Amino acid sequence: MSLLHRDGRREPSAELSRFRGEFYSCLTARSDALFELADVVLCGDGPVRSLAELSLVGEHRRGHGGLYAALAQGRVDANRMRRALASVPLPRSADGRLVLAVDVTCWLRPDAHTSPQRTLCHTYGRGKDQHIPIPGWPYSIVCALEPGRSSWTAPLDALRLAPGDDTATVTARQLRDLVEQLITAGQWQAGDPDVLIIADAGYDAPRLAHILRDLPVQVPARMRSDRVLRRPAPPRQPHTMGRPPRHGGEFVFGQPDTWGTPDTHTVTDTRLYGTARARSWDRLHPKLTHRSSWAAADGTLPIIEGTVIRLDIDRLPSGATPKPVWLWWSGTDADAGDSDRLWQAYLRRFDIEHTFRLFKQTLGWTCPKIRTPEAADRWTWLILAAYTQLRLARPLAADRSRPWETPVSSDRLTPARVRRDSRHIRPKLVCPAGAPKSTRPGPGRPPGRKNTRPTPRHDVHTPRKTGTPTSRAKKSTTPRPRRTC
């Protein structure tokens, strides 16, 4: 039987076996143990709770000591792993466009005093209207999004943010390397539509678009509702003295009298959100200043024009009162079709939250009590490889629903349901890992002798502050200043 479709694509089993072989080649030390550990994550009966319990799964042929040693002393070729993830079939939108979502999720380690390079991570939902910083390791993860109603994504890259890193600069470098790898792998070719990179309000969308302006990408991102943008400079009148203005009138998100007539206005009926009204205004840009991320810029700051889209909906699935969503797109001259395509693509960005939840609650990404950040990076790559195998095994999986669950067709299986059938799919695939060798445990520390080399403790990195007040300042009642850059 041929292993290729008529259009040149490999059969699902052949593509999955090819990726497993490439994944094994990325493991340059303790490769057999690391590869088998990823298989055990896939073949477990329930959520992963600890590494020690993984050693009890039937597919694990090694002891728990080899499991821990593989994470502590193994090696993963991260660059080759990124190339392997970029070479697998990726989901695309209806017009054949790649849609990437970038976000930061945290591996919280509040009690790991012996773990270095921890930084304060902002957490949400742990208190009433409170954002509590908790020590941990933040990771910037990029995923390719699927169209339509789906909880599937395609993780392509994971990068741990070290203490002192500028998130915008590191993310821009990460996205640049990823887009270049996608082009090298043939995922984008000349004549294809530009790649969409969707981000949330925590990213500086104009700066991200400016840094990536030489790549075939477009950046739609959400903006805070207190932003102030500028219109294009008006034409210079004859016989006018002085320097010509660089910026036009203000466009204040919170003042409707400054908006003017929108360039496009669409109304769409949706199942979840009711009636969605989208309005767009063309060629708006922020007024940049030599501060924050532009402090090191030399000369005249650029004018970064884009399209602003305001989305209003009738209701939310949670029953909460909906708020308007402001989007900024790095393109200009958007028509009604572009406006609808962009806000619908932005709503698909929330699928990445389902992937993060599966990583943490089912695959056990943050469950192991790993000491070093290097071991955390190895475990993260194993989780990404395991999830990619789940995605490639979708056409091969059968629905093994619980008695109380509604059966679904094979094309509607969720990642958790595909994982239930991984144990039956694994024997049909290539397994390059070798059998374990017989060994004996080491002598260890003699009984009664104390540990004379205690593990060093590390402080949590905190952002540097410009000054420390001598007394606690009272909460100001004046309104917050507008964000103009």
Side-chain angles (χ1 to χ4, degrees), residues 201-232:
Y203 293 88
D204 188 352
R207 184 166 187 258
L208 193 61
H210 180 71
I211 296 176
L212 303 177
R213 63 188 181 277
D214 58 327
L215 296 176
V217 300
Q218 298 177 2
V219 181
R222 185 170 70 92
M223 278 191 168
R224 293 171 55 112
S225 58
D226 58 353
R227 293 296 297 267
V228 178
L229 300 183
R230 293 300 186 98
R231 302 182 186 275

Side-chain angles (χ1 to χ4, degrees), residues 371-389:
R371 175 177 296 174
T372 63
E374 293 78 15
D377 293 343
R378 299 185 194 104
W379 176 246
T380 302
W381 284 118
L382 294 186
I383 296 298
L384 263 65
Y387 184 90
T388 303
Q389 294 183 57

Side-chain angles (χ1 to χ4, degrees), residues 404-464:
W404 56 87
E405 294 177 344
T406 303
V408 297
S409 58
S410 58
D411 58 337
R412 297 299 303 275
L413 292 178
T414 62
R417 289 201 177 190
V418 173
R419 181 172 177 260
R420 295 176 187 173
D421 199 38
S422 296
R423 177 167 290 172
H424 303 85
I425 299 175
R426 181 177 177 269
K428 307 174 185 177
L429 303 174
V430 173
C431 185
K437 300 178 181 179
S438 59
T439 59
R440 291 182 298 176
R445 190 167 65 241
R449 179 177 297 180
K450 295 183 179 181
N451 184 14
T452 58
R453 294 184 297 176
T455 304
R457 292 173 173 259
H458 304 272
D459 296 331
V460 179
H461 172 79
T462 56
R464 184 176 300 176

Side-chain angles (χ1 to χ4, degrees), residues 239-258:
H239 311 294
T240 303
M241 304 296 292
R243 185 176 61 179
R246 302 186 69 236
H247 311 284
E250 289 185 341
F251 185 96
V252 185
F253 287 4
Q255 298 180 11
D257 57 338
T258 64

Side-chain angles (χ1 to χ4, degrees), residues 32-41 51 54 67 71 379 382:
D32 294 337
L34 289 175
F35 185 89
E36 200 167 271
L37 179 57
D39 276 359
V40 173
V41 172
L51 292 179
L54 288 179
L67 185 149
L71 287 179
W379 176 246
L382 294 186

Side-chain angles (χ1 to χ4, degrees), residues 123-132 323 475:
T123 58
Y124 305 93
R126 292 177 174 265
K128 184 178 180 181
D129 298 331
Q130 293 181 354
H131 297 171
I132 304 174
K323 296 181 180 180
K475 186 176 181 180

